[in-house]
């Protein structure tokens, strides 16, 4: 019986999903994309000072080993032979920065974190002109603001024009991305300075630190990253797909500490320890790119939205870099093989999504748990003309209005907490539509449907509202682990592994839940234009002359 079960499964692929608050290891069947088992370990964030966010790189590495061991134990209990695991992929929080000593394998400082996964707050945003505005979010500690003065000093030195950084990288000059954090470490941490002088330092995002450590560390560990993670450093030229000499000079970063840039799907090295010793690590994608692959958005114009504290929208723009006129980022979507073409994406984020539900729970106390909001909204089925603009610390893309503040308007004597709950859900959907409209304007490809994932997608009212407000179908996979699935697909498809076909005809049909618009288009447009009127009312609350403390 057991032997037959093992035979039926065929090749398996593992995925490390390393996020801001937890590490997970998941194992998938490469033929059916079915999730067989997984294990999760929470990891700590450290806040040495307000506005600083750090994590211990060794704790992160240890959590990866623990998740792998525990998942393998669970597979054993299911009578699944772990020798069937043919490859491992890595997906990670993107901009978090690590510098370590290549001779001892010890980190030279804690990892300087970015609130990058949708489970956390959205990062410091930068207005198109290059001046920073603080990000929206429920908690200031998420924003690692130590690099603010570094950005200000750098922006004074931008050669020629303000587009110097953006034209090469697709990114605005911001505290969010790794180059600025690395510059801060070089300026402020003696151990880092000394190691660089003595040619002992290696730099990387979390993927590089993990792959180097897992493939042997001081004993021949492979120092590499993939194009998606490299494209978030502000040191990488997204056209030539190489580290950019001029950018490295501008930031004062020695190029010899940078990892080799590889595709997102190739064998980087073999696991050197633990239950899966000898298994190739052959997939690597930043978390949002991994979700795009896991959602199988391989066509030009396909998009996915991940709903968490904030939302992350990525739209595949194919082989061309599309530069946004509306404050969206241009980024590398994936490159699934050494000889395969690179694909690009436009990325936009909604600062306040799940955070607005938490605000109703923690600040107003009108719900006791986040799940309760669906029940309240269902009771009324309408906001009864009430609109909620959650601009808690300004408006971001596409408005870039730091003067805005949150408002709830259109109130009558009849309005109750159910209507406000409904308006909060609508706010998430209206903000998503604004980003999608900006994407449509930037790349001229109107979306035919939106693929969704993330914690909030279990709220059926939210998903139906999203379909109504976008006036296109919203499609949700029944297997929610799209980020880990994307990393597993990249690993299983790598040359030399070849257990996962990414050809359209071979991709296993994923069961989807589909939400079709249920209102007429005219009503959808009226609600959207009323939302825009509410947004206009939120602008101009805070002026430099009138501080909020007055």
């Amino acid at each position: 019986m057991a032997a037959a079960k093992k035979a039926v499964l065929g090749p398996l692929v593992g995925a490390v999903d390393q996020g801001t608050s937890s590490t997970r290891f998941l194992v998938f069947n490469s033929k059916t994309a079915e999730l067989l088992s997984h294990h999760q370990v929470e990891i700590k964030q450290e806040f040495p000072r307000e506005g600083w966010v750090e994590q211990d790189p060794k704790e992160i590495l240890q959590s990866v080993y623990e998740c792998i061991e525990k998942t393998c134990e669970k597979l054993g209990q299911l009578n699944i032979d772990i020798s069937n695991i043919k490859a491992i992929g890595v997906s990670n929080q993107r901009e978090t920065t690590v510098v370590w000593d290549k001779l001892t394998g010890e980190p030279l400082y804690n990892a300087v974190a970015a609130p990058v996964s949708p489970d956390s707050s959205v990062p410091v945003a930068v207005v198109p002109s290059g001046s920073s505005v603080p990000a929206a979010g429920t908690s200031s500690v998420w924003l690692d603001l130590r690099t603010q003065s570094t950005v200000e000093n750098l922006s004074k030195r931008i050669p020629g024009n303000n587009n110097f950084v953006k034209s090469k990288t697709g990114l605005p000059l911001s505290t969010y991305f790794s180059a600025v954090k690395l510059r801060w470490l070089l300026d402020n941490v003696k151990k880092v300075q000394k190691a660089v002088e003595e040619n002992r330092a290696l730099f990387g995002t979390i993927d590089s630190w993990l792959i180097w450590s897992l493939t042997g560390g001081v004993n021949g560990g492979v120092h590499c990253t993939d194009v998606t993670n490299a494209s978030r450093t502000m040191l990488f030229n997204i056209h030539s797909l190489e580290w950019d000499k001029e950018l490295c000079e501008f930031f004062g970063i020695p190029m010899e500490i940078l990892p080799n840039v590889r595709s997102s799907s190739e064998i980087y090295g073999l696991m050197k320890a633990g239950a899966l010793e000898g298994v190739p690590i052959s997939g690597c994608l930043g978390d949002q790119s991994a979700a795009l692959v896991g959602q199988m958005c391989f066509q030009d114009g396909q998009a996915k939205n991940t709903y968490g504290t904030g939302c992350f929208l990525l739209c595949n723009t194919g082989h061309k870099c599309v530069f946004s006129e509306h404050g969206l980022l241009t980024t590398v979507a994936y490159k699934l093989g050494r000889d395969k073409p690179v694909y690009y994406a436009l990325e936009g984020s909604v600062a306040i999504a799940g955070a607005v539900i938490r605000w109703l729970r923690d600040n107003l106390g009108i719900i006791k748990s986040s799940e309760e909001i669906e029940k309240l909204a269902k009771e009324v089925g309408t906001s009864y003309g009430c609109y909620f603009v959650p601009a808690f610390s300004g408006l971001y893309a596409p408005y870039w209005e730091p003067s805005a503040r949150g408002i709830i308007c259109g109130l009558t004597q009849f309005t109750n907490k159910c209507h406000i709950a409904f308006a909060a859900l609508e706010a998430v959907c209206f903000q998503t539509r604004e980003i999608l409209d900006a994407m449509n304007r930037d790349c001229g490809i109107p979306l035919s449907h939106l693929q969704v994932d993330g914690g909030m997608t279990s709220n059926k009212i939210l998903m139906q509202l999203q379909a109504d407000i976008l006036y296109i179908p919203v499609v949700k996979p029944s297997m929610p682990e799209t980020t880990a699935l994307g990393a597993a697909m990249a690993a299983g498809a790598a040359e030399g592994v070849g257990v996962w076909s990414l050809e359209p005809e071979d991709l296993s049909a994923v069961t989807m839940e589909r939400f079709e618009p249920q209102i007429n288009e005219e009503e959808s447009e009226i609600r959207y234009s009323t939302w825009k009127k509410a947004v206009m009312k939120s602008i101009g609350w805070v002026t430099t002359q009138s501080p909020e403390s007055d």
Side-chain angles (χ1 to χ4, degrees):
M1 180 72 194
K5 188 174 180 184
K6 288 174 195 172
V8 169
L9 279 175
L12 311 180
V13 180
V16 172
D17 182 4
Q18 207 299 301
T20 45
S21 54
S22 71
T23 299
R24 297 169 329 138
F25 185 67
L26 305 90
V27 173
F28 296 92
N29 180 339
S30 66
K31 295 295 173 247
T32 62
E34 178 195 359
L35 174 62
L36 298 175
S37 187
H38 74 286
H39 188 75
Q40 176 167 337
V41 171
E42 300 297 314
I43 52 170
K44 287 198 294 287
Q45 276 116 14
E46 298 175 24
F47 309 113
R49 294 191 204 167
E50 190 178 356
W52 291 29
V53 190
E54 296 179 2
Q55 292 176 307
D56 177 356
K58 291 178 80 173
E59 184 192 351
I60 290 174
L61 177 61
Q62 197 44 52
S63 70
V64 170
Y65 277 120
E66 187 183 335
C67 286
I68 291 173
E69 300 302 310
K70 289 281 198 295
T71 304
C72 288
E73 282 172 25
K74 290 177 183 178
L75 289 171
Q77 288 158 13
L78 295 168
N79 214 3
I80 296 168
D81 189 345
I82 61 169
S83 69
N84 282 341
I85 298 175
K86 301 303 181 193
I88 294 169
V90 176
S91 151
N92 56 293
Q93 44 168 320
R94 293 173 298 182
E95 290 78 3
T96 297
T97 301
V98 190
V99 181
W100 67 96
D101 187 321
K102 65 182 175 190
L103 301 182
T104 65
E106 291 292 313
L108 293 161
Y109 192 77
N110 272 342
V112 181
V116 59
S117 95
D119 307 318
S120 64
S121 257
V122 167
V124 168
V126 172
V127 289
S129 67
S131 61
S132 289
V133 291
T138 48
S139 162
S140 63
V141 288
W142 266 114
L143 312 172
D144 201 284
L145 294 178
R146 75 187 79 193
T147 50
Q148 194 62 54
S149 59
T150 309
V151 163
E152 283 155 13
N153 293 337
L154 287 165
S155 59
K156 289 176 194 145
R157 298 201 289 106
I158 289 184
N161 66 9
N162 252 355
N163 252 352
F164 168 70
V165 174
K166 191 174 180 185
S167 61
K168 288 170 176 281
T169 65
L171 310 172
L173 180 58
S174 160
T175 59
Y176 184 26
F177 306 106
S178 316
V180 180
K181 299 190 179 102
L182 184 49
R183 182 66 258 152
W184 184 90
L185 290 167
L186 290 165
D187 288 339
N188 293 283
V189 181
K190 288 224 163 27
K191 274 170 81 170
V192 173
Q193 294 161 354
K194 197 166 186 297
V196 169
E197 283 160 21
E198 295 171 6
N199 198 24
R200 289 183 287 112
L202 295 178
F203 153 80
T205 39
I206 293 289
D207 55 305
S208 299
W209 161 246
L210 292 179
I211 292 171
W212 183 82
S213 303
L214 296 171
T215 57
V218 293
N219 300 311
V222 178
H223 187 217
C224 69
T225 187
D226 90 299
V227 288
T228 68
N229 282 294
S231 78
R232 310 297 288 191
T233 59
M234 257 188 339
L235 299 170
F236 184 70
N237 188 310
I238 60 174
H239 311 285
S240 66
L241 302 183
E242 293 171 333
W243 299 120
D244 190 288
K245 196 165 177 295
E246 286 183 353
L247 285 168
C248 290
E249 282 168 8
F250 172 65
F251 288 105
I253 306 295
M255 292 184 81
E256 58 276 10
I257 74 174
L258 303 176
N260 291 321
V261 182
R262 314 271 286 267
S263 78
S264 312
S265 176
E266 60 180 89
I267 295 175
Y268 312 112
L270 306 181
M271 287 285 288
K272 286 292 192 290
L276 298 180
E277 190 178 338
V279 175
I281 299 175
S282 54
C284 179
L285 289 155
D287 53 7
Q288 301 308 321
S289 285
L292 195 72
V293 171
Q295 286 269 27
M296 298 174 211
C297 293
F298 295 130
Q299 302 299 311
D300 195 341
Q302 283 187 309
K304 69 90 196 165
N305 193 18
T306 300
Y307 295 75
T309 298
C311 290
F312 284 88
L313 278 100
L314 263 75
C315 178
N316 186 333
T317 61
H319 303 309
K320 58 182 185 295
C321 271
V322 175
F323 284 90
S324 174
E325 299 297 310
H326 305 96
L328 307 177
L329 307 180
T330 304
T331 198
V332 175
Y334 52 81
K335 183 180 191 292
L336 294 173
R338 209 176 302 193
D339 306 319
K340 295 284 195 324
V342 66
Y343 281 74
Y344 295 97
L346 272 175
E347 177 171 333
S349 46
V350 169
I352 304 281
V356 76
I357 316 301
R358 268 216 301 275
W359 185 82
L360 291 177
R361 185 192 68 195
D362 299 342
N363 296 35
L364 290 196
I366 68 172
I367 49 173
K368 289 194 173 63
S369 70
S370 298
E371 294 70 45
E372 224 179 291
I373 192 157
E374 191 171 4
K375 203 165 90 229
L376 283 188
K378 202 172 185 171
E379 273 178 43
V380 285
T382 170
S383 66
Y384 199 72
C386 167
Y387 284 77
F388 186 167
V389 182
F392 295 149
S393 43
L395 285 167
Y396 299 88
Y399 295 100
W400 305 108
E401 276 288 352
S403 70
R405 284 298 174 269
I407 61 167
I408 301 175
C409 57
L411 301 173
T412 70
Q413 283 178 302
F414 179 68
T415 311
N416 63 31
K417 65 180 182 178
C418 299
H419 301 116
I420 291 171
F422 197 95
L425 294 179
E426 282 189 314
V428 175
C429 302
F430 286 130
Q431 291 179 98
T432 296
R433 171 148 179 196
E434 289 183 318
I435 299 283
L436 277 186
D437 280 0
M439 281 182 174
N440 288 341
R441 288 198 297 274
D442 281 330
C443 53
I445 318 164
L447 272 189
S448 61
H449 66 278
L450 178 66
Q451 290 169 229
V452 300
D453 54 64
M456 290 184 82
T457 59
S458 59
N459 185 325
K460 285 188 163 47
I461 288 189
L462 178 72
M463 294 296 96
Q464 185 56 55
L465 277 173
Q466 189 68 84
D468 290 346
I469 286 165
L470 295 177
Y471 213 71
I472 56 173
V474 166
V475 179
K476 175 194 168 190
S478 57
M479 201 286 292
E481 304 293 352
T482 50
T483 303
L485 178 62
M489 287 165 66
E495 193 181 331
V497 176
V499 298
W500 204 310
S501 169
L502 300 183
E503 296 305 317
E505 63 275 13
D506 297 327
L507 288 171
S508 47
V510 178
T511 44
M512 298 280 192
E513 196 173 351
R514 196 176 168 95
F515 297 85
E516 299 279 349
Q518 287 181 355
I519 60 175
N520 65 44
E521 192 165 6
E522 190 187 2
E523 190 192 334
S524 180
E525 290 307 317
I526 290 168
R527 276 160 68 174
Y528 186 44
S529 61
T530 314
W531 158 263
K532 288 190 154 170
K533 200 159 71 175
V535 168
M536 289 302 127
K537 305 257 185 240
S538 77
I539 291 171
W541 283 96
V542 181
T543 61
T544 42
Q545 287 77 37
S546 62
E548 290 178 74
S549 53
D550 280 8

